Amino acid sequence: MLPLDELYQEVILDHYKNPKNQGTIENPDYKGHGVNPLCGDDVEIWIKLENGKIKSLKSIGKGCAVSQASLSMMGEALQGKSIEEARQAVEKFKKGMLEGGELHFEEYPDLEALEGVKKFPVRIKCAVLPWNTFLEALESHPSA
Amino acid sequence: MMTDIHSGNIPAASDIPETSRVPASDGAKIFKKTRDDFPILKRKIYGKPLIYLDNAATSQKPFSVIQAIQTYYENSNANIHRGVHHLAEEATSAYEAVRKKTAAFIHAKDHHSILFTRNCTEAINLAAFSWGRKFLKPGDEILLTEMEHHSNLIPWHFLKNEKGIELKFIPFNEEGILNLSKLPELLSSRTKLVSLTHISNSLGTINPIKQIIEAAHEKGALVLIDGAQSVPHLPVDVQDLNCDFLAFSSHKMLGPTGVGILYGKLELLEAMDPFMGGGEMIREVWLDHSTYSKPPWKYEAGTPNIADTIGFGAALDYLNQTGMKEIQKQEEELTRFALQRFSAEKEIKVYGPQNFKIHAGIISFNLEGIHPHDVGTILDQEGIAIRAGHHCTQPLMRKLGVSGTARASFYFYNTKEEVELLLQSIQKVFQIFHHAAAR
Ligand SMILES: Cc1ncc(COP(=O)(O)O)c(C=O)c1O
């Protein structure tokens, strides 16, 4: 496959055009806001827990196909996980993007489509932004 | 083979392209020569010929500029203004000759009006620091526009916080044209400075600065022109404009990075406080106080960027040989063509004035439903270098209601063929994205 075709795979363009889990949550347990000041990618997420697991992760984002597809997929991948499991998944994803690890997730295979991003070093930060925003959200205490 | 200045692999003088050698009548041949003068334009990117359309960010450099820097280091390197030896004198006079050349280039009366800085940003900061801190009082106003580059915004934010001055802004309309009917209410006796860009780096708008300078002077306000995007592309005459300051950067006009220029009227430069303290800028120093030298040296503390200033001199030579009027004419034709071709495409939104007479060679655009970053990545794979993002004008982007734009910006070495290839490659962007939409 040509690098461009790998980058803009159908899965990615589908998530970009029809993002999952759009919206906000009132009284979230965590929320986060991440921006990439250089390119203007902008990601906001809200997290609601139930019985220690992520019941719902909603988001609103603006930006390129890579950042927005990554955001949409992240929501799908992390829902249902405990905070600790989610944290591990985020670390695995970041390792995959930044340190050449695999992007193979049994629970959400779509993520593998982001492998193509690695051939475009300047775009890696787009893919990672939502995941960093998730980690930042865990540090927040909106209800406190 | 690429010329590598680090390899010591210098072509013989006869191999060095020289535009002036070509008979002026033969347009096409001159053009071929012009392209040949720029080693980097022969580069291939992913196996495709480089199409460099990011000149508003920085221009490419002709061989003569690259060679001037190398020749300086090989033959004349010494510190300036301090040595009695031959090399020091040679370096000093080469450096000071560029000051004179710069003065002539912008038609300044006196070369002592030319200060060298690191870049246009530092030139504006120098004016804000040395003039603003000395002369502004709480309640004074500075008038800017809504289309300023961050470098003509943040220095004034600093002064606002420090001095309690107020900032006002000339708005622009849907076409990106300044609304001058607001000028009478925005300008008052409280206005101490109007600081604005000659050409918008995000919209391409050529502002009617002469008219604004006159209106400002009537109210007793000074005017600083950010010439970063204009001085490289059209003749600028500071005496005709009667601006009080003009700031610009060498690297956007064929010269090296690391050299900026602030022109200021001499009486202002004499009245203002120094910018930085240190060597070169002093007259006499005691342990606990000092007196300063005259402009321009008063503003040039420490060893300046000698080599790159000399490189900038070669850039000025190149521009003079080509002729700024000629450059303006060529770019106007290219812009007219590009605006026409771009506006014919329904799915491309082009920002800035529709009239090419007030639209410089900067085409800012968006493709329906596609983020500029994705446009930039796909075009890059075709060897086309454009910029994507907010172009250091976040308030302007906010007003346009977008997070950024894709921007193709020209210099005189660009061609209509390159514009055509850009449009063809834009069709590829549509194919990639619409293919998914169609399913
Ligand atoms: C209108 C305008 N002003 C100022 C600047 C700042 O120039 P520099 O980055 O060389 O200081 C730029 C370039 O980016 C510009 O386009």
Side-chain angles (χ1 to χ4, degrees), chain B residues 114-240:
Chain B
I114 304 294
L115 319 183
F116 289 121
T117 62
R118 272 191 313 134
N119 48 36
C120 180
T121 302
E122 189 174 283
I124 298 172
N125 276 271
L126 191 162
F129 186 97
S130 292
W131 175 82
R133 281 183 132 194
K134 177 152 187 189
F135 293 110
L136 291 173
K137 290 190 253 346
D140 285 347
E141 292 174 7
I142 292 183
L143 181 58
L144 308 166
T145 80
E146 288 180 340
M147 60 170 77
E148 295 313 313
H149 189 277
H150 294 165
S151 62
N152 191 26
L153 209 50
I154 319 293
W156 311 116
H157 291 173
F158 290 169
L159 280 180
K160 181 182 173 194
N161 297 337
E162 193 181 313
K163 290 273 173 183
I165 59 163
E166 276 202 55
L167 304 181
K168 300 218 158 168
F169 299 90
I170 308 175
F172 63 81
N173 68 14
E174 321 74 59
E175 258 196 274
I177 299 171
L178 290 179
N179 184 350
L180 293 192
S181 67
K182 296 266 184 239
L183 216 46
E185 59 186 273
L186 288 168
L187 272 174
S188 76
S189 58
R190 286 187 302 279
T191 316
K192 293 295 180 281
L193 177 77
V194 179
S195 188
L196 83 158
T197 192
H198 191 173
I199 292 177
S200 159
N201 66 309
S202 295
L203 299 166
T205 315
I206 305 175
N207 290 320
I209 52 169
K210 197 167 173 179
Q211 189 187 341
I212 296 170
I213 292 167
E214 272 172 24
H217 283 170
E218 264 174 40
K219 294 282 179 192
L222 300 177
V223 182
L224 184 153
I225 299 296
D226 174 352
Q229 297 296 345
S230 64
V231 178
H233 299 280
L234 44 91
V236 171
D237 180 333
V238 290
Q239 289 189 70
D240 176 55

Side-chain angles (χ1 to χ4, degrees), chain B residues 41-52 382-384:
Chain B
L41 296 182
K42 295 186 190 70
R43 249 205 86 161
K44 293 215 157 54
I45 304 288
Y46 310 117
K48 297 183 178 136
L50 165 68
I51 297 181
Y52 186 76
E382 300 296 315
I384 302 180

Side-chain angles (χ1 to χ4, degrees), chain A residues 3-4 7-8 10 13-14 16-17 37-41 63-66 120 123 126, chain B residues 369-371 373-375 377-378 381-382 388-390 394 403 432-433 435-437 439:
Chain A
L4 267 186
L7 180 64
Y8 295 111
E10 286 183 12
L13 292 174
D14 279 345
Y16 173 58
K17 291 182 177 296
L38 272 181
C39 57
D41 289 339
C64 66
V66 175
F120 296 82
R123 303 303 297 276
C126 309
Chain B
I370 308 175
H371 193 271
H373 246 206
D374 295 310
V375 178
T377 294
I378 296 171
Q381 292 289 307
E382 300 296 315
H390 55 62
Q394 285 186 5
S403 66
I432 287 176
F433 271 75
H435 171 69
R439 283 194 323 267

Side-chain angles (χ1 to χ4, degrees), chain B residues 355-404:
Chain B
N355 177 0
F356 72 93
K357 284 281 174 194
I358 54 165
H359 194 135
I362 293 173
I363 311 289
S364 220
F365 62 95
N366 266 320
L367 309 183
E368 184 65 34
I370 308 175
H371 193 271
H373 246 206
D374 295 310
V375 178
T377 294
I378 296 171
L379 294 182
D380 177 51
Q381 292 289 307
E382 300 296 315
I384 302 180
I386 61 149
R387 176 113 178 239
H390 55 62
H391 319 302
C392 299
T393 54
Q394 285 186 5
L396 180 151
M397 293 298 154
R398 215 168 280 130
K399 172 146 174 171
L400 295 179
V402 297
S403 66

